[in-house]
Amino acid sequence: MLATAKSGGCASPSCGLSAKTDDMDPAIWEKIKDHPCYSEEAHHYFARMHVAVAPACNIQCNYCNRKYDCANESRPGVVSERLTPDQALRKVIAVANEVPQLSVLGIAGPGDACYDWKKTKATFERVAREIPDIKLCISTNGLALPDHVGELADMNVDHVTITINMIDPEVGAKIYPWIFYDHRRYTGVEAARILHQRQMLGLEMLTARGILTKINSVMIPTVNDEHLIEVNRWVKERGAFLHNVMPLISDPAHGTYFGLTGQRGPKPVELKALQDSLGGGAKLMRHCRQCRADAVGLLGEDRGQEFTLDKLPGEVIYDAGKREAYREVVACERGDHVAAKSQAVAIVKAADSGKSLLVAVATKGGGRVNEHFGHSKEFQVYEASPRGISFIGHRKVEQYCLGGRGADATLDGVIAALERIDIVLCAKIGDCPKDRLAEAGIRATDVYGYDYIETAISALYAAEFGVEPMAATA
Ligand code: SF4
Ligand code: SF4
């Protein structure tokens, strides 16, 4: 439940307000409002889970090694156990009974949900029968997608992610060594050309049926980084709802082609520069956490290890009670949050300082500054500037404080991850980490603990640049 959630009735004057923008089609808002990946605002409140039921894949990407399995590893394609559709159903019910934030079930590797279609379909049919209000979502490389768009629409799957890394087969040949299509294997430029054609066809078919499509692109420096500007234009023209540019994760220990050949991933500053340059194209997703293929929980947390098969009860019966109660609380909380956010943005804009602040926030959900510095496994990064307050990404860190004690080496890593951040906001911070951050030129404060993130940032911004916090709303 939300850190601030109260049981019983809601006294909020703004209960029922939504974060829907004035120009958004209500039907689209209905589809995205509880989806943590399609709505940045929803990701503070709602959780997803992935089930790894479809392990077969019809292409090879140079950044993927599906054999790799490490419970501490968080990246797409990585999974601890594969499930049958019946096991997946048991797991989804067990999670839904324990994680009230759950709103989305995704099939996102390892393998391709459209290629391993029978298992994908069997899983969705079983889950939709038991938990009709859960959103169903797939992620695919697109090669087999056109064969299943009709069935996806029939199953009410309104969210599909296609990974599109190129529109030029010459670029594609550097990313995909082979594909398996129409009973034969293709390599090189020919393989990439077929993949490209199928991806575009699949995207156009989804758009024609009103299915919201998110495009994931892996940013690979010197291979497709500049090319992604062109990809963004193409997918926007074909109706993509969101474009999610993710950094290549490359490490020799992962055993991928790119990892073993020393291909580096982009630095955060390079990723941000590319994302900023895509401002005019398809709407950008900046809050992706590159989740494991068996992730469970809010984005940024992974409770998958609590729900491995050996920990599931033999029989599970779905109890809708917790999820329904949570949704009632969230409906009120979200209304308050939207009102607070709009006031905070007005304050920052009115300050008219011409300056910007990069703020890292320790949060465990609910849109509030509500995590201790030492307990954070990631910080959400916001930019406050004359344009307003924008979420611009996150920085993953190793948890610094374990069992009440912090390790110096871990703190060094946290400080390095916070490079270029001006101020850290958290619910609590001790003198030692605060002093160490200050030595690195990063300020930290817990005076805004439990405030809404935007409210805290606006107060900070106003204090920083000498504006009275409430003056802007007068
Ligand atoms: S499509 Fe997905 S599962 Fe298949 S090789 Fe690429 S990343 Fe791996
Ligand atoms: S990988 Fe990104 S898009 Fe997929 S579930 Fe995680 S946050 Fe959402």
Side-chain angles (χ1 to χ4, degrees), residues 101-179:
Q101 299 96 331
L102 183 69
S103 64
V104 173
L105 167 66
I107 298 179
D112 188 78
C114 285
Y115 181 57
D116 217 342
W117 178 249
K118 280 190 185 154
K119 292 177 194 150
T120 297
K121 188 175 172 194
T123 303
F124 279 172
E125 284 174 344
R126 283 164 172 73
V127 172
R129 252 194 319 268
E130 296 291 326
I131 313 180
D133 69 336
I134 202 163
K135 288 189 190 308
L136 305 173
C137 205
I138 64 159
S139 186
T140 174
N141 61 48
L143 186 59
L145 172 64
D147 303 333
H148 302 295
V149 171
E151 285 171 285
L152 286 166
D154 292 345
M155 287 194 293
N156 293 322
V157 175
D158 338 282
H159 302 84
V160 172
T161 295
I162 316 173
T163 300
I164 300 181
N165 296 318
M166 54 86 202
I167 43 102
D168 177 352
E170 297 285 344
V171 175
K174 297 178 195 160
I175 303 170
Y176 307 103
W178 57 261
I179 68 165

Side-chain angles (χ1 to χ4, degrees), residues 173-457:
K174 297 178 195 160
I175 303 170
Y176 307 103
W178 57 261
I179 68 165
F180 186 75
Y181 175 65
D182 204 14
H183 309 291
R184 66 167 275 218
R185 193 176 167 107
Y186 294 83
T187 57
V189 173
E190 190 182 14
R193 180 171 296 113
I194 295 168
L195 180 61
H196 164 61
Q197 287 165 350
R198 298 284 291 173
Q199 288 176 333
M200 293 302 132
L201 176 62
L203 172 56
E204 286 163 5
M205 290 171 75
L206 291 168
T207 301
R209 287 177 183 262
I211 296 175
L212 297 183
T213 309
K214 173 164 70 63
I215 306 303
N216 280 356
S217 296
V218 181
M219 179 183 177
I220 310 163
T222 72
V223 174
N224 73 344
D225 42 0
E226 289 171 11
H227 182 60
L228 288 180
I229 295 170
E230 192 71 351
V231 171
N232 181 268
R233 194 172 61 76
W234 273 60
V235 300
K236 186 189 180 197
E237 283 168 7
R238 284 157 183 80
F241 182 72
L242 270 182
H243 191 189
N244 174 25
V245 178
M246 310 181 294
L248 171 73
I249 300 174
S250 181
D251 184 328
H254 297 157
T256 63
Y257 175 81
F258 280 149
L260 293 170
T261 54
Q263 171 64 53
R264 72 172 180 92
K267 297 177 186 146
V269 62
E270 292 172 320
L271 178 67
K272 181 173 182 300
L274 176 63
Q275 289 173 331
D276 289 348
S277 73
L278 299 178
K283 203 162 171 298
L284 280 188
M285 175 186 187
R286 293 189 191 239
H287 61 285
C288 179
R289 304 300 202 277
Q290 294 181 282
C291 311
R292 287 170 58 95
D294 57 4
V296 173
L298 293 171
L299 305 191
E301 73 173 3
D302 187 2
R303 300 179 57 183
Q305 291 306 307
E306 294 171 40
F307 299 98
T308 49
L309 277 181
D310 58 315
K311 292 182 188 131
L312 299 183
E315 264 197 55
V316 284
I317 295 171
Y318 177 51
D319 172 5
K322 271 194 191 173
R323 289 179 70 234
E324 283 171 6
Y326 178 77
R327 277 162 190 262
E328 276 181 32
V329 173
V330 165
C332 297
E333 179 83 1
R334 269 178 110 167
D336 277 345
H337 189 182
V338 169
K341 187 172 173 176
S342 122
Q343 187 180 43
V345 168
I347 290 169
V348 169
K349 284 186 174 170
D352 199 21
S353 69
K355 306 239 175 72
S356 65
L357 267 186
L358 215 49
V359 184
V361 181
T363 175
K364 53 186 171 190
R368 294 185 184 259
V369 181
N370 56 6
E371 181 63 288
H372 289 211
F373 176 82
H375 295 170
S376 292
K377 291 182 178 160
E378 68 163 36
F379 291 88
Q380 296 191 3
V381 180
Y382 289 77
E383 187 171 50
S385 74
R387 292 184 301 281
I389 302 173
S390 320
F391 176 93
I392 59 165
H394 66 282
R395 307 269 178 96
K396 283 188 183 168
V397 297
E398 199 181 326
Q399 185 174 333
Y400 155 63
C401 182
L402 293 167
R405 300 175 69 90
D408 278 354
T410 312
L411 183 55
D412 289 343
V414 176
I415 292 171
L418 293 173
E419 188 188 2
R420 294 176 190 237
I421 295 293
D422 295 305
I423 303 183
V424 175
L425 296 180
C426 53
K428 203 81 201 154
I429 183 167
D431 289 339
C432 167
K434 197 170 176 178
D435 292 345
R436 290 281 314 281
L437 283 162
E439 284 165 23
I442 303 166
R443 287 171 288 157
T445 176
D446 51 18
V447 301
Y448 302 106
Y450 302 95
D451 281 355
Y452 284 124
I453 292 170
E454 294 83 1
T455 304
I457 292 174

